[in-house]
Amino acid sequence: MNTDTTVSTPVIVPIDTPTLGDRSYLAHDGSVAVVVDPQRDIDRVLSLAAEAGVTITHVFETHIHNDYVTGGLALARATGAAYHVNAADDVSYDRTPISDGDLVEVSPALRVRAIATPGHTYTHLSYALESAAAPGEDFDPVGVFTGGSLLFGATGRPDLLGHDHTDALVHHQFASAHRLADELPEHTHVLPTHGFGSFCSAGSTGDTTASTIGAEKRQNPALTQAEETWVADTLAGLDAYPAYYVHMGPANSTGPGAPDLDAPATADKETLAARIDAGEWVVDLRTRTAFAAGHVTGTLNFGLDGQFATYLGWLIPWGTPLTLLGDSPEQVAEAQRELVRIGIDRLEGAATGTPEDWTDEELGSFERAVFADLAQVRHHRRVEVLDVRRVNEFAEGHIEGAVNIPLHELLERLDEVPAGEVWVHCAGGYRASIAASVLAARKVPVVAVDDSFGENAAAAGLPMASAA
């Protein structure tokens, strides 16, 4: 993608939100700009536009999002831009309705064409960004913003509107992928919103960071397999998705405003103790290594070094009062930014420093280990193995005798946790630390396995099994 504003090719700037696995986009011609699928914290977009010296004139939504609260309406209001949302979407705010085939003239040499691509939702739109070498000359597609339609080597999942709609949507998704492949030239850049770790993806997008229509024709199963085969494989591969998704569609249809990112009130030791005793969530943002070494008893560990908002939003009972603990005000501010993206706008408070600053009581701790340690320990004494990976991960291969309780089900299935010393693991350590903190808060003797399951579990000599 060209980044030289002195030429006619538009500049396309991806805006990554890695903890949610999404991208937004700013595209401009050096003077005016469009934004596609902006996240809630619109200050990032405004800063990029200011740095480029461009005016945002149009904001586009590919669909009513299920995995985050949009910043589209707030951005349009802040900039005076037209806010393009599908005319068929039932929303409670003023928008500029847009439908399949509509052309939006951004500048004399830049325009956007709407393409209906149902599948992720019924009203999903993709947007072809088309440019001309000079005003009056022919337009040519430069890129296509595909939202949750055609992803890198995959597509958006078709089951987020409920089981009753999945069969219809998966067939729509197949047809939409083929429409894009048929209508757009092979050099067209594919610019998806999902597919970088988002649970909105159906199938693996791997580590790909850029692609074209031509590349997708050669590698995307939706474009290389027969429809029946692709549909069956896609449906078989669908796994659980975060519980907070159910709140995102209604929030986006209502019209979310700009977030409040002011620092939360400071919570002292007595306040923290009272909140923990009351059953509120007090979340420690530090790394799993630091948490295991020493933490306030009763707190939970959702480190900022992983998919923090995804997993916290997945596990927390919606509306539960939340207080954050962090190394620094900057760490708390980063977490707060992550949380407003999924609609958790209110924090009860925060505290920074070290665990000794947060309590006068004895600190809690638990051991960390690797799979080789587990293999050795099992020769000497009985320990229970708790695997908190998702069901599909467990089915592909697991430690013989392990109990599988997916992390997102743990709070509801605590009575199924084996009695005794529990060694908890996931695929890489992040989810295991969350689970270990949940168990430690309930006085369960726990060891967190902080290791790569794929690389080291079988290699350590642990007996393996699979669903087959």
Side-chain angles (χ1 to χ4, degrees):
M1 282 175 270
N2 200 299
T3 57
D4 183 354
T5 58
T6 64
V7 299
S8 59
T9 303
V11 181
I12 303 173
V13 183
I15 306 167
D16 290 316
T17 305
T19 55
L20 294 180
D22 290 323
R23 276 183 178 176
S24 306
Y25 297 91
L26 174 78
H28 67 83
D29 63 0
S31 178
V32 295
V34 303
V35 176
V36 181
D37 289 347
Q39 289 276 342
R40 183 89 178 282
D41 49 328
I42 62 173
D43 56 336
R44 292 188 295 165
V45 183
L46 293 171
S47 294
L48 284 171
E51 290 172 12
V54 297
T55 300
I56 297 171
T57 57
H58 299 272
V59 179
F60 295 88
E61 298 283 8
T62 58
H63 60 292
I64 302 298
H65 301 284
N66 291 293
D67 65 330
Y68 67 86
V69 176
T70 182
L73 182 60
L75 181 61
R77 287 174 173 170
T79 60
Y83 188 33
H84 300 278
V85 178
N86 195 321
D89 282 321
D90 183 14
V91 297
S92 57
Y93 48 82
D94 291 334
R95 39 82 191 273
T96 301
I98 189 168
S99 302
D100 183 38
D102 286 353
L103 286 172
V104 177
E105 303 292 340
V106 179
S107 69
L110 190 65
R111 71 185 187 187
V112 172
R113 175 165 58 95
I115 305 171
T117 48
H120 192 47
T121 68
Y122 285 106
T123 56
H124 190 286
L125 293 171
S126 296
Y127 298 104
L129 183 69
E130 302 176 342
S131 69
E137 296 193 14
D138 291 341
F139 282 85
D140 181 54
V142 175
V144 57
F145 302 105
T146 57
S149 182
L150 187 67
L151 312 183
F152 297 158
T155 66
R157 62 192 299 163
D159 61 330
L160 296 183
L161 299 187
H163 178 75
D164 292 345
H165 300 286
T166 301
D167 186 67
L169 285 170
V170 73
H171 287 281
H172 281 310
Q173 191 71 294
F174 184 85
S176 292
H178 280 264
R179 180 181 181 185
L180 292 173
D182 292 342
E183 292 188 8
L184 295 168
E186 293 200 354
H187 66 256
T188 307
H189 288 281
V190 175
L191 306 163
T193 300
H194 305 313
F196 309 94
S198 170
F199 283 89
C200 281
S201 301
S204 174
T205 58
D207 297 324
T208 304
T209 57
S211 189
T212 62
I213 289 292
E216 293 308 309
K217 283 183 175 182
R218 295 185 291 273
Q219 70 189 20
N220 195 309
L223 300 175
T224 61
Q225 295 180 344
E227 183 170 1
E228 289 185 7
T229 301
W230 180 82
V231 166
D233 288 350
T234 298
L235 296 180
L238 293 174
D239 204 347
Y241 56 83
Y244 71 85
Y245 277 22
V246 70
H247 303 286
M248 301 298 96
N252 289 324
S253 296
T254 301
D260 180 2
L261 292 173
D262 290 341
T266 300
D268 59 21
K269 294 177 181 179
E270 292 74 19
T271 300
L272 292 173
R275 289 176 180 170
I276 293 170
D277 289 343
E280 297 184 13
W281 273 40
V282 179
V283 168
D284 191 323
L285 304 170
R286 297 175 303 143
T287 66
R288 53 188 181 266
T289 303
F291 185 87
H295 57 266
V296 178
T297 300
T299 59
L300 304 178
N301 180 222
F302 291 80
L304 274 178
D305 55 342
Q307 287 185 278
F308 163 74
T310 294
Y311 284 106
L312 192 150
W314 201 335
L315 269 69
I316 191 170
W318 206 249
T320 299
L322 175 62
T323 300
L324 301 180
L325 305 177
D327 289 323
S328 65
E330 291 76 20
Q331 192 177 56
V332 169
E334 182 182 348
Q336 184 178 8
R337 180 178 291 271
E338 293 280 354
L339 292 171
V340 299
R341 292 172 180 156
I342 63 168
I344 298 179
D345 288 352
R346 182 186 172 192
L347 295 176
E348 296 301 312
T352 59
T354 67
E356 290 80 6
D357 298 318
W358 305 329
T359 184
D360 290 325
E361 302 297 323
E362 182 179 355
L363 298 182
S365 64
F366 51 78
E367 291 184 37
R368 293 167 55 249
V370 296
F371 285 109
D373 298 324
L374 176 58
Q376 287 294 320
V377 164
R378 291 180 82 178
H379 289 303
H380 303 291
R381 67 178 188 273
R382 178 179 177 83
V383 298
E384 304 295 340
V385 179
L386 177 63
D387 184 336
V388 295
R389 295 175 302 153
R390 295 184 297 280
V391 170
N392 283 10
E393 295 175 279
F394 185 81
E396 290 175 358
H398 56 266
I399 298 170
E400 197 172 278
V403 174
N404 179 222
I405 304 177
L407 176 61
H408 62 276
E409 298 177 5
L410 182 59
L411 290 173
E412 298 173 353
R413 298 174 59 185
L414 285 168
D415 59 343
E416 298 178 39
V417 175
E421 182 181 332
V422 178
W423 287 54
V424 58
H425 81 86
C426 59
Y430 185 79
R431 286 175 287 175
S433 181
I434 297 172
S437 73
V438 170
L439 298 179
R442 289 158 176 80
K443 311 300 184 185
V444 174
V446 64
V447 176
V449 179
D450 191 358
D451 198 3
S452 169
F453 178 83
E455 294 179 5
N456 298 324
L462 290 163
M464 306 300 289
S466 68

